[in-house]
């Protein structure tokens, strides 16, 4: 009997130890002066990261009841969770809190990815970015872009521009995540109804100049409207087990004609279980002064190489290639 009780106690201790290791404590170093809000955010993030880690460890679905999180954030996480789970790398974490136009943001939360789908060959150690409202409610949890991408977007912004650049980074990260999550509805919301989609592809064309005609590579561009693009994209989502989009080499330019418009150029690597390519993506964003979500008016893609050589800088599409409407005067 004593041996049986000892065995039960040992097993119980192991279970409690395992549970304790899965409990995540999160603290904010600085960035929130309101102590009541700081405590609320810390408790909310701790509960969220604890549940994520337990669900990832146990291989089950997320149970987010009791956590202050928006329905949109829950929806996005559920889509991401279908392809991969993740757990926190440490049981105790501390980070700075950044202020954004629509609330706050926590970055650099180290996580370990647990793939759910076969043939996943992405990074297994990544970072999570969590966005919050002004009241501390979680509004989004995304796989963060690389730190050098964050730095490139934020740098060179003057004091007036800094909050907007932080917001641009957030929405660029969200935009990239919509593809990873195969979230057609989110993409439908982020594109304006009259959005212009331009896609370039390399074709061989006959060049009759000179004595000997030759076949030369040339980029041919096709335009689509929003509905055409989303219809084709939905088919792509269905045909692929997973999609992984990464951005690098960002360049942010604010329109001189209308300060609410920003052009963002990014080098994109697209990888799925059926297809892989590299190219340049240009996004023309319009931000609203009343804090409504920004929208994309133009998305372009073009290959980063032509005939094996890097695409010349002056051939990469940018904000100067589009007519920007002047800012409306307030009455």
């Amino acid at each position: 009997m004593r041996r049986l009780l000892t065995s039960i106690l040992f097993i119980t201790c192991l279970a409690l130890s395992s549970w304790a290791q899965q409990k995540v404590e999160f603290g904010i170093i600085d960035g929130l002066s309101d102590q009541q809000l700081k405590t609320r955010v810390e408790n909310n993030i701790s509960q969220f990261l604890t549940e994520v880690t337990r669900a990832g460890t146990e291989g089950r679905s997320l149970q987010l009841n009791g956590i202050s999180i928006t329905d949109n954030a829950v929806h996005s996480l559920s889509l991401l969770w279908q392809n991969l789970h993740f757990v926190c790398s440490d049981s105790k974490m501390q980070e700075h809190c950044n202020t954004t136009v629509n609330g706050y943001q926590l970055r650099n939360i180290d996580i370990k990815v647990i793939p759910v789908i076969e043939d996943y060959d992405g990074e297994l150690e990544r970072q999570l970015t969590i966005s919050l409202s002004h009241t501390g409610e979680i509004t989004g949890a995304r796989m963060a872009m690389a730190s050098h991408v964050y730095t490139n977007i934020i740098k060179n912004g003057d004091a007036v521009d800094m909050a907007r650049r932080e917001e641009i980074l957030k929405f660029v990260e969200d935009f990239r995540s919509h593809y990873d999550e195969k979230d057609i509805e989110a993409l439908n919301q982020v594109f304006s109804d009259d959005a212009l989609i331009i896609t370039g592809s390399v074709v061989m064309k006959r060049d009759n100049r000179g004595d000997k005609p030759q076949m030369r590579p040339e980029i041919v561009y096709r335009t689509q409207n929003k509905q055409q693009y989303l219809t084709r994209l939905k088919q792509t989502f269905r045909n692929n087990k997973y999609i992984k989009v990464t951005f690098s080499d960002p360049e942010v330019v604010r329109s001189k004609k209308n300060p609410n418009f920003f052009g963002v150029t990014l080098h994109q690597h697209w990888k799925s279980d059926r297809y892989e390519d590299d190219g340049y993506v240009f996004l023309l964003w319009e931000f609203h002064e009343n804090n409504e979500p920004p929208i994309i008016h133009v998305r372009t893609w073009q290959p980063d190489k032509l005939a094996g050589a890097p695409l010349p800088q002056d051939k990469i599409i940018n904000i100067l290639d589009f007519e920007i409407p002047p800012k409306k005067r307030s009455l």
Side-chain angles (χ1 to χ4, degrees), residues 191 195-199 222-226 229 298-300:
F191 282 108
L196 174 64
I197 314 295
I198 302 174
T199 306
R222 180 183 66 180
T223 62
Q224 304 173 73
N225 60 34
K226 172 182 175 178
Y229 174 69
V298 177
R299 177 198 182 271
T300 73

Side-chain angles (χ1 to χ4, degrees), residues 105-120:
Q105 191 178 76
L106 302 164
R107 304 186 60 82
N108 307 319
I109 300 172
D110 292 327
I111 57 173
K112 295 181 180 179
V113 173
I114 304 173
V116 177
I117 56 177
E118 297 179 1
D119 304 324
Y120 177 85

Side-chain angles (χ1 to χ4, degrees), residues 26-27 29 49 88-90 92-98 105-111 126-131 142-151 166 169 173:
F26 185 87
I29 300 173
L49 295 178
C88 287
S89 300
D90 300 303
K92 292 186 178 181
M93 313 181 80
Q94 286 186 315
E95 287 300 334
H96 300 273
C97 182
N98 301 316
Q105 191 178 76
L106 302 164
R107 304 186 60 82
N108 307 319
I109 300 172
D110 292 327
I111 57 173
R126 300 185 67 176
Q127 291 186 325
L128 195 68
T129 295
I130 299 178
S131 301
R142 307 290 193 194
M143 295 292 179
M145 292 189 292
S147 59
H148 70 276
V149 178
Y150 170 82
T151 302
E166 288 274 7
L169 173 69
E173 282 185 328

